[in-house]
Amino acid sequence: MEKFKYKIVNISTANSASAKASILIIYTGGTLGMTYDEAGVLAPFNFSQTAEKIPALRQFDLQLTVISFPQLVDSSDINPNHWVDLAYIVHQNYQRYDGFVVVHGTDTMAYSASALSFMLEGLNKPVIFTGAQLPIGSKRSDAQENFITALEIASAQIDGHPIVPEVCVYFGSHLLRGNRSSKRQSIHFDAFTSENYPSLAEAGVLIDYNFPAIRPYNPNSKLVYHNQLDSNVAILKLFPGINRKVVESILQIPDLKGLVLETFGSGNAPTNAFLLDSLSDAIQHGLIILNISQCAGGRVIQGRYKTSKSLENIGVVSGKDMTTEAAITKLMYLLGTEKSSEFIRQQLPLAICGETY
């Protein structure tokens, strides 16, 4: 861990001999980790005092360790370098812990969870992202419930195997597949949704796991850490009246390699000649374009209507039912790890780790 000089804090609620599971908490920053200091000002929470601030943790009989980013990051400032760091921490500590909980700001949590789902190939242990809409020091905060339940899910096992061996987001009583999640609310506690894939679990009096929706544990799986991401990508959101200057300003970005095209409905776009000609020319010059619907639910079906058949004819790749967060991080991952543009185009619509059907 010397590479990143992270601060390591042991906050165990049990000794290593009796603990039912060992969990590594990775603290990146965000609202959950804020509390009020003596002057009434919000300041980062000291995780060494977690057991004192959240007495319920003592009931879980867990071996807990925290690794904090040296400089806490607001989620709006998260970038691919932080994803590389997060994946590295999981990879380096993979054999030491039964599960991982990532405390993260909510604004870009779905992007981070999606990225790690691709970067941690063969993952066979829980990596649970969680956060809060209100700081842990607030009177009505959702922070404690989200944090405690994320720990319980990360430590849950059946017959010695983790129940949820994949990257997830736990928030507002729902456990979602990380690369299927999107933030849809800024003021309600149920901030995240998964429109195209069912919840993996719902937490009430008990945690009700949706076992058919969870990726099965694979005893033969080996973790492969991918640390190369190519951020030469962009998103072009279509809208009525979009003009040539807007489209070309995106397509002419130097070194642009991949583009997520946010289309209408089931993958439809205006049939303006300038739009199709511009996209076609960019594809001919090597740009990979992935078609994602602007709708929260549903899927891209290129060719269903004439307005999407034109996109298919010029070589735009269907993103099926992927979220924008999964689409952009998948592009970064494939562009960073694969050399062949044709192979990348073939892989984009396929389910690498449950991000699409």
Side-chain angles (χ1 to χ4, degrees):
M1 299 309 301
E2 293 77 13
K3 178 180 179 181
F4 300 116
K5 298 181 180 178
Y6 288 122
K7 181 180 180 182
I8 303 176
V9 179
N10 191 313
I11 59 169
S12 299
T13 57
N15 63 59
S16 58
S18 66
K20 70 174 184 179
S22 58
I23 304 297
L24 179 63
I25 302 162
I26 306 172
Y27 179 36
T28 69
T31 301
L32 185 148
M34 305 297 285
T35 189
Y36 292 97
D37 62 18
E38 296 178 356
V41 178
L42 280 172
F45 179 56
N46 184 349
F47 265 91
S48 65
Q49 300 173 351
T50 302
E52 299 174 19
K53 296 286 187 180
I54 311 177
L57 284 179
R58 300 185 184 278
Q59 302 175 27
F60 286 97
D61 195 27
L62 298 175
Q63 186 76 16
L64 302 177
T65 302
V66 176
I67 288 181
S68 292
F69 273 24
Q71 292 184 338
L72 300 181
V73 186
D74 185 287
S75 66
S76 296
D77 287 323
I78 288 288
N79 63 54
N81 291 328
H82 297 116
W83 300 336
V84 170
D85 289 359
L86 281 170
Y88 175 83
I89 292 172
V90 173
H91 175 252
Q92 288 296 105
N93 292 278
Y94 192 66
Q95 300 302 325
R96 300 189 188 104
Y97 297 93
D98 298 306
F100 304 83
V101 170
V102 182
V103 178
H104 193 290
T106 60
D107 286 348
T108 57
M109 186 185 295
Y111 289 94
S112 295
S114 295
L116 260 67
S117 72
F118 300 120
M119 298 170 71
L120 297 171
E121 181 186 350
L123 180 71
N124 222 13
K125 294 182 179 182
V127 176
I128 313 298
F129 280 76
T130 195
Q133 294 287 63
L134 290 174
I136 201 168
S138 297
K139 294 179 181 179
R140 297 180 51 254
S141 176
D142 55 334
Q144 289 198 32
E145 193 280 328
N146 285 346
F147 182 56
I148 289 172
T149 307
L151 288 172
E152 186 170 0
I153 291 170
S155 62
Q157 299 182 357
I158 293 179
D159 297 329
H161 302 310
I163 293 179
V164 189
E166 57 177 295
V167 179
C168 301
V169 167
Y170 177 77
F171 212 96
S173 300
H174 289 275
L175 181 71
L176 310 176
R177 175 165 290 167
N179 55 35
R180 290 286 196 159
S181 66
S182 294
K183 184 178 180 181
R184 292 289 183 239
Q185 279 287 344
S186 62
I187 59 173
H188 294 161
F189 285 151
D190 55 343
F192 288 82
T193 62
S194 176
E195 296 291 343
N196 290 326
Y197 197 78
S199 297
L200 305 188
E202 185 172 354
V205 175
L206 300 174
I207 298 177
D208 183 16
Y209 290 97
N210 183 6
F211 289 99
I214 299 170
R215 297 192 77 196
Y217 174 81
N218 181 357
N220 299 316
S221 181
K222 302 295 182 183
L223 182 67
V224 179
Y225 163 52
H226 297 281
N227 63 359
Q228 298 298 315
L229 297 171
D230 193 329
S231 59
N232 287 300
V233 297
I235 298 173
L236 174 58
K237 187 183 184 81
L238 299 182
F239 58 89
I242 191 169
N243 61 49
R244 183 188 301 271
K245 290 181 180 179
V246 172
V247 173
E248 292 183 350
S249 68
I250 299 294
L251 296 179
Q252 293 175 7
I253 294 174
D255 302 319
L256 184 66
K257 298 178 183 177
L259 178 74
V260 171
L261 183 68
E262 286 198 349
T263 55
F264 307 128
S266 56
N268 304 313
T271 54
N272 298 331
F274 85 83
L275 177 63
L276 294 175
D277 289 346
S278 296
L279 295 176
S280 178
D281 184 64
I283 291 170
Q284 294 301 314
H285 283 85
L287 183 66
I288 298 171
I289 302 180
L290 182 62
N291 186 354
I292 299 294
S293 175
Q294 295 178 19
C295 298
R299 60 192 291 113
V300 167
I301 309 175
Q302 287 193 163
R304 183 177 186 181
Y305 296 99
K306 180 180 179 181
T307 48
S308 65
K309 183 65 175 178
S310 300
L311 297 178
E312 187 174 72
N313 290 340
I314 64 174
V316 173
V317 179
S318 171
K320 297 185 176 180
D321 63 344
M322 274 189 284
T323 64
T324 294
E325 295 91 337
I328 200 73
T329 53
K330 188 175 184 178
L331 265 176
M332 290 184 187
Y333 161 73
L334 288 172
L335 288 168
T337 56
E338 304 294 344
K339 301 296 185 184
S340 168
S341 294
E342 185 55 37
F343 182 77
I344 293 172
R345 289 171 54 84
Q346 293 171 2
Q347 290 294 301
L348 277 172
L350 303 180
I352 295 177
C353 49
E355 73 280 7
T356 188
Y357 280 114

